[in-house]
Amino acid sequence: VRVRRPARLTTLGARLLRMRSALPSRGPENLQRPPLGPASRLGIPRPAMTAHSFALPVIIFTTFWGLIGIAGPWFVPKGPNRGVIITMLVATAVCCYLFWLIAILAQLNPLFGPQLKNETIWYVRFLWE
Amino acid sequence: MGSMFRSEEVALVQLFLPTAAAYTCVSRLGELGLVEFRDLNASVSAFQRRFVVDVRRCEELEKTFTFLQEEVQRAGLVLPPPEGRLPAPPPRDLLRIQEETERLAQELRDVRGNQQALRVQLHQLQLHAAVLGQGHSPQLAATHTYGASERTPLLQAPGGPHQDLRVNFVAGAVEPHKAPALERLLWRACRGFLIASFRELERPLEHPVTGEPATWMTFLISYWGEQIGQKIRKITDCFHCHIFPFLEQEEARRAALQQQSQELQEVLGETERFLSQVLGRVQQLLPPAQVQVRKMKAVYLALNQCSMSTTHKCLIAETWCAARDLPALQEALRDSSMEEGVSAVAHRIPSRDMPPTLIRTNRFTASFQGIVDAYGVGRYQEVNPAPYTIVTFPFLFAVMFGDVGHGLLMFLFALAMVLAENRPAMKAAQNEIWQTFFGGRYLLLLMGLFSVYTGFIYNECFSRASSIFPSGWSVAAMANQSGWSDAFLAQHTMLTLDPNVTGVFLGPYPFGIDPIWSLAANHLSFLNSFKMKMSVILGVVHMAFGVVLGVFNHMHFGQRHRLLLETLPELTFLLGLFGYLVFLVIYKWLRVSATNAASAPSILIHFINMFLFSHSPTNRPLYPRQEVVQAMLVVLALAMVPVLLLGTPLHLLHRHRRRRRRPTGRKEDKAGLLGLPDASVNCWGSDEEKAGGLEDEQEAEEPTVNVQVESFHRRTQPVHRHCSQETCLSSIPRRSLGPLAVGHRQPLTQFLSL
């Protein structure tokens, strides 16, 4: 059983490289094309299990909230409420970005996995994959 | 609207109002809403002030208004709200208003009295007619058939002189619930020497005063004997019955009664028409008059707070006015006093007291400023936490609420209120609960919006998770690699996915919490840990922000020593202990993985040991030399505590002592600074809250103890302010964020699992 190395935050490039190398190489062949369950014949769309990168969401969301919090204030029209609007933009960006960041960091290196009922396991195994 | 960063500059303005124009000037100022009057006659009781007569007149008028309003409401009519601009009327108009109101009130009283009397009369007539109309025929028939023997006694009395044995009648009406009691009493008291018949009226009659319908019982009592008659009358008096004269020739009587009651009803109709006319006039006159008299009373109360100048030619008023509004104030005074041909003057005077806090808000920011003010109104020119509260308050609510579906409902409800806010129906609603919601519509809007966002992060829509992206946990990989055949699954009800196994954990969910956790039985273990750590991080960030905001206060009030003696120690304490905790949390998230999950270090144990300076051998360190670092941080933080408590007082004491050692220099300065003899008429408030900038100009005669006490007061007040700022910014203790966020989901999950 191969073990994953923990994800780390260093420079962006090194991070990307390490992400790619740290990801499992998809394990045994049967995971590449999971065996189709009985539901596939019914044409029900199934979400496939895919590897999630860490770098891409970080880049996307940092850019998004950075645009709102840092670039946004420059575009607020002059008026009596300019100060309040800029404060609101920056505070929103900081709060929402921090909240999302905490959520993704908490799931980066899980120490334990979900405990599922046997029915759920059977269902998920044959319907989701 | 100026910036809400800190409250506006407010100046003490002295107004000189010539007596002729004082009323108009104050009325004009009241309409503009520019100033706040200071009470210069605080030592004088309310009954000894100058304009007490006028105030009393206004109050009497208001009493009459109340009476009129009650009458209007009794008639079931509604007073229309006053419209248009209604300034306070000049004093000579008060007489006219008074006369009109008095006349209306008197008319109303008369008409009401007449109406009452007429209705009582009508009621009597109706009863009489009903009593006569009732066919107590068997009795009468019985008396008629005997004809001549009517006058003969029905019983042959054994002898002895008898009273007049003619049959007499008593006819009347009694209230239905008293009828049986009356009947019984009559029977027992008169021992059978009477025949009483009771009959109920067909239709109910209205009670004249209360208007309730009541069905009366009419009775006809035939008796013989004078004494019996007296007894009967006494008994019926007792029972408050209405007695009417009874004659056999009814027809003429009844016709007369009919005519009388018809006339009476016509008169009653006329009276009621006149009454509604009067009420209509009251409806027209009352609302504007109420507003005008209230304004007039307010003007006189304000004038009562002014003091008279020595020449008795003008009134001196002291008011607080925003510095920005000074030109407008002077223009208003000029305009209103020009009409009288005199001129009123306003000029700014220095003051030692702390001016009031003025923050201009619009309808959006007003509700948030209200929340902040509920915790405590900030000092003059202190940094205002409200603009940050606009976002942090709804955000912290959303962290606890966190549901896409419910958040969306809240958002749509608030949006509906906001879009319809200018409709008159919204403002006129009387329901208090609705007014509460309507007043907080912008708050609800933001709370709903943030709740949708946090709902996406928590992955909860009506407490159900959704897979926007595919999950990062692969059950098939675990099943295949651990040999979970169907038989194995049938034997074991609960199985755990192990992130150590290759291919089971494929990466963190990019936006929010992975949907697999909603299917897991141990989801609380994960979510609790996540939410507790999240609360700690958010709380520490907020508190650090609050401390940093304090820097602006210290710079503005020129108290730079507080930067070194308060802000720095506070930041060191906060970040050294709780900032370090945040660091531990994030470090563990990044560095500790499932490879050695069994021996994963516990942050809680590390944190406890940090304070107790102890060591747990089973808990491995997170990084090398962790204990040394922690010991240093704790010592540093504890060393900051005496600096926080004693730093500022000692510094001020030192400065005070230094000033006292140079007394000669200071005296000249003092004379030059306070050259105007006590500019303010009412200046020596013993306020503890003097603006920090005036510190250097204080009298040097204070005893040492006073300085200590004062600086300690000033020390605790900023702590108060800090607490209030922090509690404003993180208005819920951060520990409770987690359980509240978890608790949202439980009820629906329970419900769905039923």
Side-chain angles (χ1 to χ4, degrees):
Chain A
V1 163
R2 269 250 312 270
V3 164
R4 278 185 64 248
R5 288 215 322 274
R8 252 196 274 165
L9 266 179
T10 51
T11 63
L12 186 60
R15 201 194 320 161
L16 279 169
L17 266 168
R18 227 166 296 204
M19 282 306 106
R20 271 211 244 130
S21 64
L23 282 177
S25 60
R26 304 263 174 179
E29 285 312 293
N30 56 5
L31 259 195
Q32 290 274 349
R33 292 280 218 105
L36 298 177
S40 66
R41 269 182 243 119
L42 304 172
I44 300 174
R46 301 180 322 276
M49 296 295 152
T50 53
H52 292 302
S53 76
F54 177 65
L56 188 61
V58 170
I59 295 173
I60 293 178
F61 281 99
T62 312
T63 322
F64 177 68
W65 290 115
L67 277 176
I68 292 184
I70 302 176
W74 295 103
F75 295 102
V76 176
K78 286 203 203 306
N81 298 327
R82 191 188 152 103
V84 173
I85 297 180
I86 292 180
T87 311
M88 282 174 68
L89 280 176
V90 175
T92 311
V94 168
C95 287
C96 293
Y97 178 64
L98 188 62
F99 196 62
W100 167 83
L101 190 65
I102 292 172
I104 197 170
L105 284 181
Q107 297 177 96
L108 196 54
N109 293 316
L111 296 177
F112 60 91
Q115 184 186 37
L116 304 169
K117 282 207 307 212
N118 51 3
E119 296 159 1
T120 316
I121 296 173
W122 186 90
Y123 181 89
V124 167
R125 182 179 181 185
F126 286 104
L127 230 53
W128 279 11
E129 315 185 28
Chain B
M1 191 200 81
S3 162
M4 282 176 70
F5 181 61
R6 53 163 48 99
S7 70
E8 285 189 29
E9 190 191 347
V10 171
L12 187 62
V13 177
Q14 202 172 42
L15 308 175
F16 286 95
L17 307 167
T19 348
Y23 183 88
T24 14
C25 288
V26 175
S27 158
R28 183 75 187 278
L29 288 179
E31 290 291 323
L32 291 172
L34 292 174
V35 299
E36 176 188 321
F37 280 86
R38 237 165 62 147
D39 195 359
L40 298 175
N41 298 328
S43 54
V44 180
S45 87
F47 301 103
Q48 293 170 335
R49 298 202 186 192
R50 201 178 153 73
F51 296 95
V52 68
V53 174
D54 306 277
V55 173
R56 204 171 283 161
R57 277 215 322 239
C58 292
E59 282 178 353
E60 276 172 16
L61 255 186
E62 283 186 340
K63 266 191 252 168
T64 322
F65 287 154
T66 323
F67 165 70
L68 287 175
Q69 200 170 358
E70 275 171 12
E71 285 295 319
V72 168
Q73 274 168 358
R74 243 182 73 177
L77 300 169
V78 155
L79 282 176
E83 290 174 29
R85 215 178 131 260
L86 296 163
R92 56 182 178 274
D93 278 357
L94 183 63
L95 204 58
R96 179 182 53 85
I97 298 179
Q98 210 171 4
E99 277 176 12
E100 272 184 32
T101 329
E102 282 296 309
R103 202 176 52 227
L104 274 177
Q106 192 56 37
E107 271 183 28
L108 208 55
R109 266 186 230 115
D110 288 341
V111 170
R112 272 258 180 243
N114 287 345
Q115 191 202 27
Q116 273 310 96
L118 285 174
R119 285 176 76 168
V120 169
Q121 247 187 319
L122 185 64
H123 187 247
Q124 284 285 78
L125 280 179
Q126 282 174 333
L127 269 183
H128 195 174
V131 164
L132 290 186
Q134 289 288 57
H136 295 268
S137 23
Q139 245 181 354
L140 288 176
T143 56
H144 275 295
T145 46
Y146 287 125
S149 63
E150 185 181 295
R151 304 276 180 232
T152 63
L154 291 165
L155 291 169
Q156 284 298 336
H162 287 291
Q163 312 283 348
D164 174 19
L165 291 178
R166 240 173 346 148
V167 178
N168 292 317
F169 295 96
V170 171
V174 69
E175 279 160 8
H177 56 273
K178 293 186 192 164
L182 177 64
E183 205 175 342
R184 255 199 308 275
L185 192 55
L186 282 173
W187 175 252
R188 288 199 192 128
C190 305
R191 288 194 219 107
F193 277 89
L194 56 79
I195 299 175
S197 90
F198 285 77
R199 195 148 323 162
E200 199 174 342
L201 287 180
E202 287 99 24
R203 47 181 196 85
L205 294 174
E206 260 191 27
H207 194 271
V209 176
T210 59
E212 286 170 22
T215 32
W216 289 71
M217 295 277 272
T218 60
F219 56 86
L220 183 66
I221 305 175
S222 30
Y223 66 93
W224 44 104
E226 196 49 47
Q227 280 187 342
I228 304 286
Q230 280 171 6
K231 264 195 216 171
I232 292 177
R233 270 178 223 282
K234 275 209 194 108
I235 293 173
T236 47
D237 267 343
C238 242
F239 277 80
H240 301 292
C241 308
H242 298 280
I243 303 291
F244 304 106
F246 184 81
L247 299 170
E248 283 94 33
Q249 301 90 359
E250 320 167 3
E251 297 310 318
R253 188 94 182 130
R254 280 177 73 187
L257 276 179
Q258 202 82 313
Q259 200 190 12
Q260 260 186 333
S261 91
Q262 247 175 358
E263 279 171 10
L264 205 57
Q265 273 181 339
E266 271 173 29
V267 175
L268 198 58
E270 283 293 327
T271 315
E272 284 181 348
R273 253 187 303 263
F274 185 63
L275 181 66
S276 61
Q277 258 182 10
V278 173
L279 286 175
R281 283 217 308 267
V282 169
Q283 271 183 312
Q284 258 185 341
L285 178 72
L286 196 57
Q290 273 181 320
V291 171
Q292 284 178 316
V293 167
R294 204 162 37 219
K295 284 193 184 177
M296 185 182 241
K297 185 172 160 191
V299 171
Y300 280 120
L301 287 175
L303 284 174
N304 268 341
Q305 293 182 338
C306 310
S307 76
M308 202 55 167
S309 80
T310 41
T311 55
H312 287 274
K313 281 249 182 79
C314 73
L315 286 169
I316 305 179
E318 274 185 17
T319 61
W320 295 109
C321 177
R324 240 174 39 166
D325 291 334
L326 263 179
L329 171 65
Q330 283 166 336
E331 195 186 313
L333 280 181
R334 208 177 30 237
D335 286 342
S336 46
S337 57
M338 205 69 79
E339 298 162 7
E340 313 284 331
V342 289
S343 69
V345 189
H347 67 263
R348 186 172 173 170
I349 54 175
S351 100
R352 286 171 178 268
D353 296 328
M354 181 173 283
T357 310
L358 172 67
I359 298 173
R360 283 187 228 257
T361 54
N362 54 23
R363 62 181 179 208
F364 175 68
T365 51
S367 52
F368 300 100
Q369 188 67 51
I371 295 175
V372 169
D373 286 345
Y375 285 93
V377 180
R379 280 179 312 162
Y380 176 62
Q381 293 230 304
E382 208 181 33
V383 167
N384 180 22
Y388 318 105
T389 310
I390 298 178
V391 167
T392 58
F393 191 95
F395 176 70
L396 287 176
F397 170 85
V399 167
M400 292 188 291
F401 195 64
D403 190 301
V404 172
H406 297 132
L408 194 64
L409 289 177
M410 188 192 256
F411 175 73
L412 291 175
F413 172 59
L415 190 66
M417 280 199 289
V418 167
L419 290 176
E421 70 184 348
N422 284 324
R423 287 215 212 124
M426 293 283 182
K427 291 182 198 153
Q430 297 291 332
N431 193 352
E432 261 186 47
I433 309 279
W434 169 256
Q435 292 281 37
T436 312
F437 279 115
F438 186 69
R441 57 195 181 279
Y442 288 106
L443 180 64
L444 283 175
L445 191 75
L446 286 180
M447 293 201 301
L449 196 58
F450 279 108
S451 297
V452 171
Y453 178 76
T454 55
F456 274 118
I457 302 274
Y458 285 147
N459 209 345
E460 288 200 0
C461 179
F462 292 114
S463 299
R464 309 300 288 169
S466 58
S467 304
I468 304 175
F469 302 95
S471 170
W473 291 82
S474 169
V475 174
M478 186 73 191
N480 292 340
Q481 301 208 9
S482 309
W484 285 355
S485 62
D486 283 349
F488 186 79
L489 283 181
Q491 274 181 346
H492 296 82
T493 34
M494 288 286 189
L495 291 164
T496 312
L497 298 181
D498 185 2
N500 272 322
V501 174
T502 324
V504 173
F505 177 62
L506 301 169
Y509 198 70
F511 188 63
I513 302 286
D514 202 301
I516 193 84
W517 288 108
S518 69
L519 302 170
N522 62 346
H523 66 281
L524 273 184
S525 305
F526 172 71
L527 284 179
N528 278 353
S529 145
F530 157 66
K531 287 178 178 170
M532 288 293 170
K533 293 176 178 173
M534 175 224 0
S535 316
V536 169
I537 296 176
L538 288 181
V540 171
V541 166
H542 270 117
M543 286 197 283
F545 179 59
V547 174
V548 166
L549 273 189
V551 170
F552 293 103
N553 273 346
H554 301 330
M555 305 287 290
H556 178 80
F557 292 122
Q559 296 167 327
R560 278 165 213 265
H561 62 272
R562 290 175 76 171
L563 283 176
L564 205 59
L565 294 173
E566 286 180 24
T567 308
L568 199 59
E570 277 171 0
L571 275 178
T572 315
F573 188 87
L574 181 66
L575 295 179
L577 295 180
F578 300 101
Y580 175 69
L581 177 62
V582 169
F583 163 74
L584 284 181
V585 164
I586 300 183
Y587 189 86
K588 185 174 172 188
W589 274 343
L590 292 175
R591 294 302 300 262
V592 178
S593 80
T595 44
N596 34 15
S599 65
S602 159
I603 295 182
L604 192 59
I605 308 287
H606 275 304
F607 204 58
I608 294 175
N609 287 338
M610 176 171 151
F611 286 103
L612 298 180
F613 290 103
S614 70
H615 170 76
S616 292
T618 48
N619 205 14
R620 67 177 168 94
L622 277 163
Y623 56 90
R625 283 191 260 286
Q626 181 178 359
E627 301 207 348
V628 178
V629 171
Q630 284 183 178
M632 262 175 33
L633 283 175
V634 171
V635 168
L636 186 63
L638 290 180
M640 291 293 129
V641 174
V643 176
L644 273 175
L645 288 178
L646 298 174
T648 313
L650 287 178
H651 171 86
L652 289 173
L653 181 63
H654 173 72
R655 208 196 310 180
H656 171 74
R657 286 231 184 94
R658 206 162 15 114
R659 232 185 290 138
R660 277 187 88 178
R661 270 188 246 119
R662 319 188 248 109
T664 46
R666 281 319 277 179
K667 271 215 188 88
E668 284 157 18
D669 285 3
K670 217 174 45 173
L673 198 60
L674 303 172
L676 309 160
D678 253 356
S680 160
V681 173
N682 176 22
C683 85
W684 276 118
S686 51
D687 280 351
E688 292 288 351
E689 304 185 354
K690 300 208 192 327
L694 297 173
E695 216 179 293
D696 295 315
E697 301 155 28
Q698 276 171 16
E699 295 277 309
E701 312 291 331
E702 296 168 16
T704 324
V705 177
N706 227 3
V707 173
Q708 290 260 26
V709 169
E710 207 180 307
S711 60
F712 188 71
H713 270 281
R714 227 176 281 125
R715 179 75 199 81
T716 47
Q717 263 158 21
V719 171
H720 263 298
R721 291 300 155 215
H722 271 137
C723 289
S724 67
Q725 271 177 6
E726 287 154 18
T727 41
C728 289
L729 292 172
S730 48
S731 29
I732 316 95
R734 60 189 198 278
R735 288 268 164 226
S736 69
L737 285 182
L740 281 167
V742 169
H744 177 92
R745 196 169 171 261
Q746 285 299 79
L748 192 61
T749 330
Q750 296 281 24
F751 173 69
L752 287 171
S753 66
L754 282 174

